[in-house]
Amino acid sequence: MEDNASSVTEEESRLAALVRYDVVDTAPEVEFDEIVRLAAVICATPIATITLVDEDRQWFKAKLGLDIDETPRNVAFCAHTILGRDPLIVPDAKLDPLFADNELVLGPPHLRFYAGFPLLSRDGLAVGTLTVMDRVPRTLTAEQRFAMGVLAHQVVTRLELRANLAELQHARRELLAATGALEDRVQARTRMLEKASEAQAQAESLYRSLWETTTDAVLILDVDSVIRYANSSTERIFGHAPSDVVGQPLSKLQPPALRRAHDHGLKRYLDTGVKRIDWRATEAVGLHAAGHEVAIEIAFSEVVLQKQCYFVGFIRDITQRKQAEAALKAEKERAQATLRSIGDGVVATDGAGRIAYLNPMAERLTGFDHVAALGRPHAEVLRLLDEGAGLPIDIDALANAREGMPAMLPGTAMLQRRTGERFSVEGSVAGLPPRNGQPAGKVVAFRDVSLARELTARISHQASHDSLTGLMNRAEFDRRLRVALDQAAEHQQHYSLLYLDLDQFKVVNDTCGHVAGDELLKQLATLLSLSTRGSDTIARLGGDEFGVLLDNCEAGPALHIAEKLRVAVSDFAFVWDGNVIPTTVSIGHVHFCDHALTLAEILSKADEACYVAKDEGRNRIHSYRPGDVALARRHGEMEWVQLIHRALEHDRFVLHAQPIFSVPEPDRQPTHFEILLRMQDDAGGLVPPMAFIPAAERYNLMPTIDRWVIRNVFARIAKRDTGGACECHTINLSATSLADAALPAFIAEQFALTGIDPAGICFEITETAAIANLAGAVKLIDEVKRLGCRFALDDFGSGMSSFTYLKHLPVDYLKIDGSFVREIASDPVDRAMVKSINEIGHLLGLCTVAEHVEDAGILEELRRLGVDYVQGYGLARPAPFEARRAGEP
């Protein structure tokens, strides 16, 4: 029965607190709507409310994401939240027995997630909640919970301000009602004056002398408020000489806004004898002769002289006092507002070391409210500990050691909250100046830095670790490798570097997606960590590349560990979407025990050794040794790659053109030319194509080079003067460009930019490249021929199945491989091959071109066989393309 009575009393108090706030069924207010929107943004939820719970319903003072204004209390989640002081968080209402059958869950708005933070009045009573909701299950982070708690506190603060304002207005009314009691005190003074009236005549001269010397203005008024006497101080306060105001109504010294009230009050007093204000000391405002208002304090008394009633007023200028009071009040309010709003906790102690003040942040951090903390020894409230030493921090000793200067708390300072929770803090202690020779206490300012220190530690970890795999990152690996290199040089300690590159990792990304690729990298990172020693450093160097630094490890054991890693990856079964994806790794190994190699050289040799392992078939290990032939070859190719990049960057490629002659008319000026490519080296010399083309093909640079050639050939054709002759220029395409799906669009774009005739362009591909990618070749030829271009098939006859594939390739020219043409005049087999190729080409409607025509005998044989076109050094050598003009050979 007692519990039930207690709960009824608490509910009545809670409803009384709600009435005190006077906010239910009021219009929307911007400040509450902004808090709701902020809560929704912080918690990333579509629904947020400020809910007030009365006797039989919940009503939304502010809302976001709901179309209703209230619901019955018996279905309200918030009705459960207000039963306690802690937040109520329901991750999934359908799984909560308390809410699973709630109509707000089963029907609109179909709530699944609920998080309510009670709005606690100053008496600790929950009048409502700050709530975020969602239609899908979820939860809140610790930071979101903290932010919601702060916002709930802000809602209550605004409600309290509303209530305090109402109470202040009520207090003002009570103050006015209490003024009657003050009149008695004035009457007492008046009685004293009446007793002295008998001696008034004798003392009149004395009083007049006193009034003239006092700094207060002295006025004597009759019952009509006409000034009958004014002393000289009247001019100092009001700017009017006494002679200017005597005989004038008091309104001459009153602001217009006060005149009517004075007249009514005096009349009421004369009619009833009832005073409404304290006549002894009343603050008011006077009117200066210059037109501005003057802050004054008035003391009035009623006297009777010769049976006539008069009022004597003593008026004091309190302008400076009011200004000082206003400044002091503003300063005090600023100080209190600052202490309330700053993020630091502030605790002040008295001279005896007892708590004298806590600001709101200190209350939250210590767990003690201001009332409970006042008067307690500071060590009971401010429980500061040194985390390193595990001992309490003596703030008195810290402050005294600095002799009045602020002393910083130790960097390992922790605060133990009243609940026992500990967290990191930083701050300072300062002693207050002594008062009357006695100690005045201390001020401690501190802040919670646990999150900052945690973030610092996290940032430090992230700075040295890969975010995906958790392994060391490239920067940290380089740092440790640099330390190892110094150790090797100083102590002859043995180290080995393993450079691992996953084989065909791009296939996983392309076929299964980057999510699968990331998961594979994470699993392999764990696998590699388990397959190395505890003293070794393993890092993700970028993409699908890993590095392993083997500490105190000679070459033999290092290769054993490398083999162990290779086997582990090869045996690993990566399963994605029910499919098992095989994995292998290529490993480069470099051993060092001195400074024979620099840091950059070690990394470079390991990388090159890894790529040699890939070149030799993948899933293997290549160990670098001085004089390594395979590495030297790769290094040479890499130098060519650098030269190619510089040539592309600085436009060092050079175009040549070799004429192609018509066999029936060999003396006629040629109109058909094959474009050939050369490259300038750093010294300005020309490099033949077969010196750099293999490296360009190996490192996938040919598509870029092909585009450079197309762009520059088109641009130069557009500028050439052909003298009206219709020329055809043949441009070679590499095998890799056959798979470039964007190449036709690029070619079309260049035609549009230059305006040249597509019929004058013939693209040439080799038979070997076409057969290796027949589908891609056919597709490319079809798309480019639709632009109006022609195609030639080069080196025909070199493949094993040339004739089989020829009928599937829609080319216009068939170029006979030069190996057959060179000996055609002396070798009957070569002659027969050329004859067959020429006849089959003609049967298919193709024009034939013979390459490597080096003398007149070869040309004569080709004429007898009926070949259409010829080219070779015996006819004309290649010349710079831009040098030719109309009429030139």
Side-chain angles (χ1 to χ4, degrees), residues 55-136:
E55 221 171 344
D56 55 3
R57 62 172 179 156
Q58 68 170 354
W59 179 78
F60 304 126
K61 173 59 182 172
K63 62 180 181 175
L64 178 69
L66 285 180
D67 296 329
I68 56 176
D69 296 320
E70 61 181 60
T71 72
R73 179 171 174 172
N74 61 347
V75 301
F77 284 53
C78 297
H80 298 274
T81 306
I82 65 171
L83 298 179
R85 295 173 61 87
D86 297 324
L88 174 62
I89 298 178
V90 181
D92 190 345
K94 287 191 175 181
L95 302 181
D96 193 311
L98 191 60
F99 302 104
D101 58 352
N102 190 292
E103 65 183 53
L104 301 179
V105 176
L106 299 177
H110 299 286
L111 299 180
R112 293 290 297 275
F113 167 74
Y114 170 88
F117 290 73
L119 305 177
L120 300 176
S121 72
R122 65 185 181 185
D123 300 320
L125 300 170
V127 298
T129 63
L130 173 63
T131 303
V132 291
M133 294 170 280
D134 207 337
R135 297 180 178 88
V136 296

Side-chain angles (χ1 to χ4, degrees), residues 536-549:
D536 300 330
T537 299
I538 180 167
R540 183 184 178 204
L541 303 182
D544 59 342
E545 299 170 345
F546 298 87
V548 180
L549 178 61

Side-chain angles (χ1 to χ4, degrees), residues 540-854:
R540 183 184 178 204
L541 303 182
D544 59 342
E545 299 170 345
F546 298 87
V548 180
L549 178 61
L550 302 176
D551 184 19
N552 194 21
C553 188
E554 296 191 7
L559 289 172
H560 177 74
I561 294 174
E563 178 62 16
K564 180 181 177 182
L565 293 172
R566 188 196 66 78
V567 172
V569 174
S570 180
D571 291 344
F572 173 66
F574 177 63
V575 180
W576 188 262
D577 284 344
N579 299 315
V580 178
I581 301 174
T583 56
T584 59
V585 65
S586 298
I587 303 176
H589 164 248
V590 175
H591 174 260
F592 59 95
C593 61
D594 51 29
H595 257 160
L597 295 173
T598 65
L599 177 69
E601 288 173 338
I602 290 173
L603 288 169
S604 176
K605 299 301 182 186
D607 181 36
E608 291 177 2
C610 177
Y611 274 89
V612 169
K614 280 188 175 293
D615 292 343
E616 292 177 349
R618 296 188 176 90
N619 191 24
R620 62 191 64 217
I621 303 164
H622 186 88
S623 180
Y624 163 75
R625 289 180 179 81
D628 192 323
V629 175
L631 234 62
R633 182 179 65 250
R634 174 174 170 77
H635 187 72
E637 291 176 345
M638 292 306 296
E639 289 182 347
W640 278 117
V641 169
Q642 294 174 10
L643 285 172
I644 293 170
H645 279 296
R646 286 202 294 271
L648 287 168
E649 182 178 354
H650 301 293
D651 208 27
R652 290 183 184 172
F653 284 109
V654 178
L655 295 175
H656 280 61
Q658 183 178 29
I660 299 175
F661 295 87
S662 170
V663 174
E665 301 175 295
D667 297 329
R668 184 179 177 183
Q669 183 67 35
T671 58
H672 197 152
F673 303 89
E674 179 178 1
I675 302 300
L676 303 173
L677 186 65
R678 307 288 187 266
M679 183 177 72
Q680 283 185 336
D681 59 22
D682 293 339
L686 288 184
V687 180
M690 290 315 297
F692 65 86
I693 291 296
E697 290 177 337
R698 186 179 189 84
Y699 294 97
N700 200 34
L701 293 174
M702 282 308 302
T704 303
I705 294 174
D706 286 348
R707 291 189 178 217
W708 185 96
V709 172
I710 293 169
R711 183 169 53 253
N712 281 273
V713 169
F714 282 24
R716 294 175 194 184
I717 290 173
K719 296 178 181 179
R720 284 166 63 85
D721 176 16
T722 61
C726 180
E727 293 185 343
C728 180
H729 297 86
T730 298
I731 300 173
N732 289 278
L733 294 180
S734 65
T736 47
S737 288
L738 295 182
D740 185 358
L743 183 60
F746 173 79
I747 295 171
E749 179 186 17
Q750 295 305 308
F751 279 130
L753 290 173
T754 59
I756 68 172
D757 186 1
I761 298 297
C762 176
F763 290 102
E764 185 174 303
I765 60 175
T766 66
E767 175 197 5
T768 304
I771 293 174
N773 185 10
L774 184 62
V778 172
K779 185 174 184 298
L780 177 71
I781 293 171
D782 285 340
E783 292 184 11
V784 175
K785 288 190 72 170
R786 278 197 290 270
L787 299 175
C789 303
R790 286 175 279 181
F791 263 86
L793 186 63
D794 193 16
D795 295 339
F796 188 77
S798 60
M800 294 297 295
S801 306
S802 302
F803 295 113
T804 302
Y805 291 102
L806 182 58
K807 61 183 178 181
H808 298 292
L809 293 168
V811 296
D812 303 283
Y813 298 94
L814 194 61
K815 299 189 76 171
I816 304 169
D817 189 275
S819 61
F820 302 126
V821 176
R822 286 193 190 96
E823 305 297 330
I824 189 174
S826 58
D827 190 331
V829 175
D830 286 346
R831 188 178 188 283
M833 288 291 296
V834 172
K835 182 176 183 294
S836 299
I837 294 171
N838 183 63
E839 290 175 351
I840 291 175
H842 286 166
L843 286 175
L844 292 174
L846 308 179
C847 292
T848 56
V849 182
E851 301 177 297
H852 297 285
V853 179
E854 298 176 356

Side-chain angles (χ1 to χ4, degrees), residues 494-561:
H494 290 268
Y495 290 89
S496 280
L497 172 62
L498 302 180
Y499 198 101
L500 290 72
D501 191 305
L502 297 182
D503 299 327
Q504 305 296 341
F505 178 72
K506 185 176 184 299
V507 175
V508 178
N509 274 340
D510 292 344
T511 57
C512 301
H514 288 278
V515 174
D518 288 348
E519 181 60 28
L520 173 58
L521 291 175
K522 288 191 287 187
Q523 293 187 24
L524 286 176
T526 302
L527 177 67
L528 296 176
S529 298
L530 295 174
S531 302
T532 52
R533 305 172 304 173
S535 60
D536 300 330
T537 299
I538 180 167
R540 183 184 178 204
L541 303 182
D544 59 342
E545 299 170 345
F546 298 87
V548 180
L549 178 61
L550 302 176
D551 184 19
N552 194 21
C553 188
E554 296 191 7
L559 289 172
H560 177 74
I561 294 174

Side-chain angles (χ1 to χ4, degrees), residues 169-184:
Q169 293 171 342
H170 177 70
R172 286 179 178 174
R173 290 192 296 271
E174 290 183 341
L175 180 62
L176 292 175
T179 55
L182 298 178
E183 294 180 1
D184 294 337

Side-chain angles (χ1 to χ4, degrees), residues 215-217 236-238 281-286 293-299 314-326:
T215 58
D216 290 354
R236 184 182 63 80
I237 296 176
F238 293 101
T282 301
E283 291 186 359
V285 178
E293 294 183 349
V294 181
I296 57 176
E297 183 180 75
I298 306 174
F314 295 84
I315 304 171
R316 178 170 298 169
D317 185 351
I318 59 172
T319 300
Q320 293 183 349
R321 189 182 82 188
K322 296 299 289 184
Q323 290 174 346
E325 288 177 354

